[in-house]
Amino acid sequence: MAQATTQPLLRELNRLRSLILDPDVLVKAVASGRQKGEVPTWRRAELRYVDLKAGTHLQITTYDQTQAFTENHAVGDASRDAVDALLDEPFGDWHVDTATQSHGLKVTKKLEAIVHTTDRAAPVEVARGHDKPKERLLPENDPVFLVLGISDDEGRIKPSRQSKYRQVEEFLRLLDSSIIEAIDKGHLRRPTLEEPLRIVDLGCGNAYLTFAAERYLTGVRKLPVRLTGVDVKEQSREHNSSVAAELGVDAEFVVGTIGGVSLDPAPEVVLALHACDTATDEALAQAVGWGAQLVLAAPCCHHDIAAQIRKAPTPSPYAMLTRHGILRERLADTLTDGLRASLMRLQGYRVDVVQFVESQHTPRNTMLRAVRTGGPVKGGSVRKEYDELVAAWGIHPKLAELLDA
Ligand SMILES: C[S@@+](CC[C@H](N)C(=O)[O-])C[C@H]1O[C@@H](n2cnc3c(N)ncnc32)[C@H](O)[C@@H]1O
């Protein structure tokens, strides 16, 4: 039986609260959406109970734009506090499944609750999952990992290569969500077998990410892609061509510099992961020149701006930020990537700067994600901020120089 009625919001949230806090009743709860004019801390939250060695816990998985974060809260005060914190967030929708019913709550503009309750045809068992390992996009035993020497003959990731595997997985998650979103929003065409998506990996090195992307997108996602890897090293081309042959992957590897390579037809997606120093600027400038629809660039070291701010007088009152070497380096990283993001915005890209891999795995964990939206470039305030910042610090970003040229 289904009924939809408008009810006072607080009363209804309280009703859901008691369902969520009962481990014998809750199957799963999901919070999502947003209330008018408000932005919750999380894009989505999922709640369910899990039986751990330490007893039953409420497992809450929260999602921001790029990542999922899972926490387990012991039943009692800890789970109550965690649930109350989520109920305080301005989510626009709650969905609570219990053993016998399904409850939907939608918050109206007037901050009332439209409640919709459905009885289950038959009660379901409240199955408590265990602490399941994170689902992998490419399993450990995928041939790509064996051929690249990341897994052993039995298809298990070698202990010494765990961080590379995690990096590949995190990268695939970002690539996947960025491509799917760009296709859904019409910023990127949906590829076909006849016309695969043209992706280039600039500064591909041993091309772990190129091969993993090919395997995942073409093999798992059924989004045909044709990958090209570019690296200045001949050894990289030789190694990668033989890996491609072994895997039966149709990919091309070119020896050349990122700034100098010419590709025809132009790539639609540009990847540049940890290309050294200003090679990231070369990659971004090439992406702009090619009119690439999607760019994912994880910068590496940032020597150029660091050297410039060492030489130029520090604008007042920022001397305390440049006095210590380590802080000066971090400031240079931030300045470099902030200026890159602004310059890409001025070129008609929507840009966000996201965390690529968790910071305990590598300090090089920032990624610039740029999507060419085709909308008009509203650059007035971005340009002004950019001009003021470079003038104040007396710096000349490499990307600006390349784009001007
Ligand atoms: C740190 S490695 C990263 C490799 C790979 N992208 C990854 O994330 O595993 C940087 C690679 O970029 C290449 N590289 C650096 N500057 C380059 C340039 N200007 N043109 C072409 N390749 C470049 C280097 O040869 C090296 O293989």
Side-chain angles (χ1 to χ4, degrees):
M1 191 206 304
Q3 354 154 345
T5 54
T6 305
Q7 301 291 341
L9 179 58
L10 274 182
R11 196 183 73 197
E12 286 308 311
L13 286 176
N14 251 325
R15 190 172 64 85
L16 294 187
R17 178 180 186 270
S18 44
L19 298 174
I20 294 171
L21 287 174
D22 188 342
D24 294 325
V25 164
L26 182 75
V27 174
K28 185 178 180 184
V30 177
S32 60
R34 53 165 82 170
Q35 294 172 14
K36 187 168 183 274
E38 304 273 358
V39 182
T41 311
W42 307 105
R43 189 169 56 77
R44 179 183 170 90
E46 294 172 2
L47 304 88
R48 66 186 185 120
Y49 285 93
V50 288
D51 285 333
L52 305 179
K53 276 199 201 117
T56 301
H57 281 61
L58 178 64
Q59 183 170 83
I60 300 185
T61 307
T62 44
Y63 299 80
D64 65 13
Q65 296 312 314
T66 57
Q67 284 195 51
F69 306 84
T70 298
E71 282 184 350
N72 297 318
H73 305 270
V75 168
D77 287 350
S79 62
R80 259 196 306 277
D81 289 350
V83 169
D84 287 344
L86 283 177
L87 288 168
D88 278 344
E89 290 280 340
F91 286 114
D93 296 276
W94 276 89
H95 193 96
V96 178
D97 280 333
T98 68
T100 53
Q101 288 185 311
S102 192
H103 304 260
L105 182 158
K106 194 165 195 48
V107 182
T108 66
K109 286 184 189 159
K110 292 184 184 162
L111 294 185
E112 289 173 323
I114 298 178
V115 186
H116 183 267
T117 303
T118 318
D119 291 338
R120 288 185 188 276
V124 294
E125 204 187 324
V126 180
R128 298 218 192 103
H130 294 271
D131 212 6
K132 276 200 285 176
K134 201 170 177 182
E135 209 174 295
R136 299 296 182 192
L137 296 188
L138 274 185
E140 293 191 19
N141 62 0
D142 190 285
V144 74
F145 297 125
L146 179 65
V147 176
L148 290 170
I150 295 182
S151 66
D152 61 21
D153 291 343
E154 267 138 48
R156 284 176 313 220
I157 300 300
K158 295 177 186 168
S160 60
R161 309 300 280 145
Q162 284 289 349
S163 68
K164 193 77 207 172
Y165 177 58
R166 259 194 303 269
Q167 190 191 44
V168 170
E169 273 283 319
E170 291 302 319
F171 165 72
L172 286 182
R173 264 175 228 288
L174 257 176
L175 178 67
D176 181 50
S177 59
S178 307
I179 286 188
I180 297 296
E181 192 184 326
I183 291 176
D184 285 348
K185 292 197 170 157
H187 299 317
L188 193 62
R189 72 182 172 88
R190 184 172 283 281
T192 60
L193 271 178
E194 296 71 37
E195 278 204 67
L197 200 60
R198 299 186 299 278
I199 302 184
V200 69
D201 183 358
L202 297 174
C204 63
N206 278 351
Y208 298 103
L209 302 171
T210 314
F211 287 117
E214 202 281 341
R215 293 280 306 170
Y216 177 70
L217 291 171
T218 301
V220 180
R221 266 291 186 193
K222 307 296 174 211
L223 291 172
V225 297
R226 174 114 209 298
L227 270 138
T228 304
V230 177
D231 202 287
V232 76
K233 294 186 197 141
E234 169 61 23
Q235 169 274 331
S236 159
R237 191 193 63 77
E238 281 168 17
H239 168 271
N240 298 339
S241 302
S242 96
V243 170
E246 206 172 329
L247 284 171
V249 164
D250 178 25
E252 186 189 9
F253 292 94
V254 177
V255 176
T257 61
I258 294 173
V261 71
S262 105
L263 298 173
D264 187 19
E268 297 153 288
V269 177
V270 171
L271 313 176
L273 297 146
H274 301 149
C276 322
D277 197 9
T278 51
T280 298
D281 299 298
E282 289 174 25
L284 296 174
Q286 282 280 39
V288 171
W290 286 322
Q293 300 301 127
L294 173 67
V295 187
L296 295 183
C300 185
C301 35
H302 298 72
H303 300 308
D304 186 39
I305 295 286
Q308 293 186 36
I309 63 175
R310 243 194 329 267
K311 283 187 205 135
T314 301
S316 170
Y318 298 109
M320 72 176 78
L321 303 183
T322 54
R323 192 166 298 139
H324 307 284
I326 183 163
L327 295 183
R328 190 175 55 235
E329 297 294 311
R330 286 183 190 163
L331 178 70
D333 292 3
T334 306
L335 273 176
T336 310
D337 291 332
L339 292 168
R340 283 172 174 156
S342 294
L343 286 166
M344 292 299 282
R345 281 192 191 108
L346 289 169
Q347 296 293 328
Y349 286 83
R350 195 194 67 217
V351 184
D352 44 1
V353 182
V354 295
Q355 183 170 281
F356 168 30
V357 256
E358 287 169 27
S359 50
Q360 71 263 35
H361 304 310
T362 168
R364 297 182 201 156
N365 63 350
T366 307
M367 175 166 294
L368 295 176
R369 179 170 49 187
V371 182
R372 197 182 184 91
T373 56
V377 181
K378 295 188 204 128
S381 60
V382 181
R383 179 89 238 173
K384 186 165 172 288
E385 271 175 13
Y386 172 87
D387 287 342
E388 284 174 4
L389 193 60
V390 292
W393 283 89
I395 49 181
H396 307 280
K398 183 75 181 170
L399 179 56
E401 182 191 315
L402 293 169
L403 291 172
D404 282 349

